[in-house]
Amino acid sequence: MKRLDVIDGMRGYFLVFMLINHMVFAGGLWLVEINHRNLAFVEDAQGFVFLSGLLTGMVYARKMMKDGYHVGRDRIWSRALELYRYAMGVVLVILVLQLVLPGATQAWQNWLGTVSLKDPASLAPVATFLVQPTFMDILPQYIAYMVFAPIVIWFCLRGQWLGVAIASLLVWLAAQLGLHRMITYPLNGWLAGAPDKEGLRVSFNLMGWQIVFFAGIIAGTLTSMGKIEWQKVFDPKRTTLAWTALAITIFFLPLRITTAHGLMPGFVLEKFGLMEVRADFGPVYLINFAAVAYGIAWVLIAGPRHRSPIIQKLASGLTSLFTLNFLQLLGRHSLQIYVWHVLIVYMVYYIDGRTPELSQLTKTAITLAALGVLALPALWRDRERLFANSPILGPWVKTAA
């Protein structure tokens, strides 16, 4: 139970920084410059996708072991359909707001492109995920992976997880070599052929980013099978990989700082940039994600049993962070919170575009207010559990439920 609480806390943590990083103001926001994405090539989307894969493997592997492949498959595909409804729902809400809010079409032009309810033909590429408006791009890739998740989990249950891992690595390698362009380039030309159409618009290369999700699927499935004893995997006496992960993170730290602030010399960036393509989840991102993920897992699991008081305190600090009630509340309802955060970000961007440039103090206040508002869907969904015993809210909550 504690392990799942920590996972919920992690998801909540990623959602908080996802909102902060997506707050776009004229003149920028200082909070965006002081979070972890500027210290390592590791971002919230990677953690969010990995934990989604991990929980998918843990939950649906148990379902398949208990009720069989077909029941588990149907549950996963039902979940994918639910995600699709949410993905389309948030698009429709934004497009309705685009019609009713004065100046919204101009304010959101860069984010929505030519998509509009006034042009029904523009909705078809959105419905098929060929055109993904800004900040509406995580759910489409998650849905695509969920389509293949049943067979991947089934192979893992049959002991073929290593074959799955190799296949995922080869697909990732194909993305780095640009083999996906044999499909995406003709598709882009076809979509862009019509007047005023922008062509294929996606933020994530599915072939590259799938390695994050299916690594989580493998880990989650093996955990449900009892094939992994995490206390033994992350043994406090085995520190070689932990030190290696730390060394990799420290090595990339100055590189990330220089690229984040435009300080890397152009003749170096020309070569380095080929290895750090975010859309493809390039080698730099894969290496950093593996190092940071292993390091955090080692601290959380092995840290409390380590003889060093410093490492024990570090483990205690991380555990305290990821068990904050606010973060766990967000993490328990991550799908609804993600969709809600898109609406918040669009509205803030609209307001910012309709006002004179705001001060950093005002931007900070708006961001903090947005973080408070972010929890509203979670509070509503958890209302009975949170407020049922309240003398003031209890009667209302029971009636609403």
Side-chain angles (χ1 to χ4, degrees), residues 77-202:
W77 286 354
S78 176
R79 177 64 170 172
L81 183 59
E82 179 187 12
L83 293 173
Y84 183 80
R85 289 195 294 265
Y86 272 99
M88 292 299 100
V90 69
V91 171
L92 289 176
V93 170
I94 294 295
L95 291 179
V96 170
L97 291 174
Q98 182 189 43
L99 290 179
V100 300
L101 294 177
T105 300
Q106 293 74 27
W108 293 334
Q109 177 67 42
N110 291 336
W111 288 9
L112 294 177
T114 58
V115 180
S116 172
L117 290 177
K118 294 180 180 180
D119 179 15
S122 69
L123 302 179
V126 176
T128 53
F129 296 144
L130 298 178
V131 170
Q132 299 168 12
T134 300
F135 302 138
M136 302 185 198
D137 41 24
I138 288 183
L139 287 184
Q141 67 160 319
Y142 188 18
I143 293 168
Y145 300 152
M146 292 289 276
V147 172
F148 297 97
I151 191 64
V152 171
I153 293 174
W154 184 247
F155 277 129
C156 291
L157 289 175
R158 293 171 65 88
Q160 299 176 16
W161 66 268
L162 182 58
V164 170
I166 293 173
S168 179
L169 182 61
L170 291 177
V171 172
W172 173 85
L173 184 59
Q176 308 315 306
L177 297 175
L179 300 185
H180 60 285
R181 295 186 176 188
M182 291 188 290
I183 298 174
T184 59
Y185 269 46
L187 189 59
N188 179 70
W190 174 66
L191 287 172
D196 301 325
K197 300 302 179 183
E198 60 179 326
L200 189 66
R201 177 175 174 167
V202 296

Side-chain angles (χ1 to χ4, degrees), residues 94-390:
I94 294 295
L95 291 179
V96 170
L97 291 174
Q98 182 189 43
L99 290 179
V100 300
L101 294 177
T105 300
Q106 293 74 27
W108 293 334
Q109 177 67 42
N110 291 336
W111 288 9
L112 294 177
T114 58
V115 180
S116 172
L117 290 177
K118 294 180 180 180
D119 179 15
S122 69
L123 302 179
V126 176
T128 53
F129 296 144
L130 298 178
V131 170
Q132 299 168 12
T134 300
F135 302 138
M136 302 185 198
D137 41 24
I138 288 183
L139 287 184
Q141 67 160 319
Y142 188 18
I143 293 168
Y145 300 152
M146 292 289 276
V147 172
F148 297 97
I151 191 64
V152 171
I153 293 174
W154 184 247
F155 277 129
C156 291
L157 289 175
R158 293 171 65 88
Q160 299 176 16
W161 66 268
L162 182 58
V164 170
I166 293 173
S168 179
L169 182 61
L170 291 177
V171 172
W172 173 85
L173 184 59
Q176 308 315 306
L177 297 175
L179 300 185
H180 60 285
R181 295 186 176 188
M182 291 188 290
I183 298 174
T184 59
Y185 269 46
L187 189 59
N188 179 70
W190 174 66
L191 287 172
D196 301 325
K197 300 302 179 183
E198 60 179 326
L200 189 66
R201 177 175 174 167
V202 296
S203 298
F204 299 101
N205 182 339
L206 294 179
M207 293 174 62
W209 279 75
Q210 55 76 31
I211 197 170
V212 182
F213 184 84
F214 289 116
I217 285 273
I218 294 171
T221 302
L222 294 179
T223 298
S224 290
M225 294 172 65
K227 297 293 186 180
I228 299 180
E229 295 185 43
W230 293 107
Q231 296 290 329
K232 291 184 177 179
V233 172
F234 296 100
D235 189 326
K237 296 180 181 179
R238 298 177 180 175
T239 60
T240 301
L241 289 179
W243 283 113
T244 301
L246 179 61
I248 290 173
T249 305
I250 292 175
F251 172 78
F252 278 100
L253 173 62
L255 298 176
R256 181 56 188 136
I257 292 174
T258 55
T259 57
H261 297 91
L263 301 176
M264 181 173 284
F267 55 86
V268 177
L269 187 61
E270 182 179 359
K271 178 68 175 179
F272 185 80
L274 298 175
M275 306 290 286
E276 119 1 273
V277 180
R278 178 182 182 270
D280 294 336
F281 201 68
V284 169
Y285 281 95
L286 178 60
I287 293 170
N288 274 262
F289 176 75
V292 173
Y294 183 90
I296 291 176
W298 189 90
V299 170
L300 286 172
I301 299 174
R305 297 173 289 145
H306 198 274
R307 65 177 181 270
S308 170
I310 296 177
I311 293 180
Q312 290 178 14
K313 289 181 180 179
L314 180 60
S316 177
L318 272 183
T319 301
S320 297
L321 172 63
F322 295 134
T323 52
L324 288 174
N325 290 334
F326 179 73
L327 297 183
Q328 291 183 351
L329 175 67
L330 298 180
R332 284 197 299 271
H333 307 282
S334 58
L335 170 58
Q336 292 77 20
I337 296 298
Y338 172 79
V339 171
W340 181 239
H341 115 278
V342 173
L343 295 176
I344 293 174
V345 168
Y346 269 74
M347 289 307 302
V348 169
Y349 187 52
Y350 170 77
I351 294 172
D352 183 70
R354 304 269 302 173
T355 59
E357 184 171 333
L358 304 172
S359 67
Q360 285 294 336
L361 181 60
T362 303
K363 296 174 189 176
T364 302
I366 292 174
T367 302
L368 294 177
L371 288 173
V373 172
L374 185 65
L376 290 181
L379 290 172
W380 173 255
R381 289 174 60 84
D382 258 8
R383 63 191 182 281
E384 189 171 2
R385 186 174 68 87
L386 293 173
F387 306 117
N389 296 325
S390 170

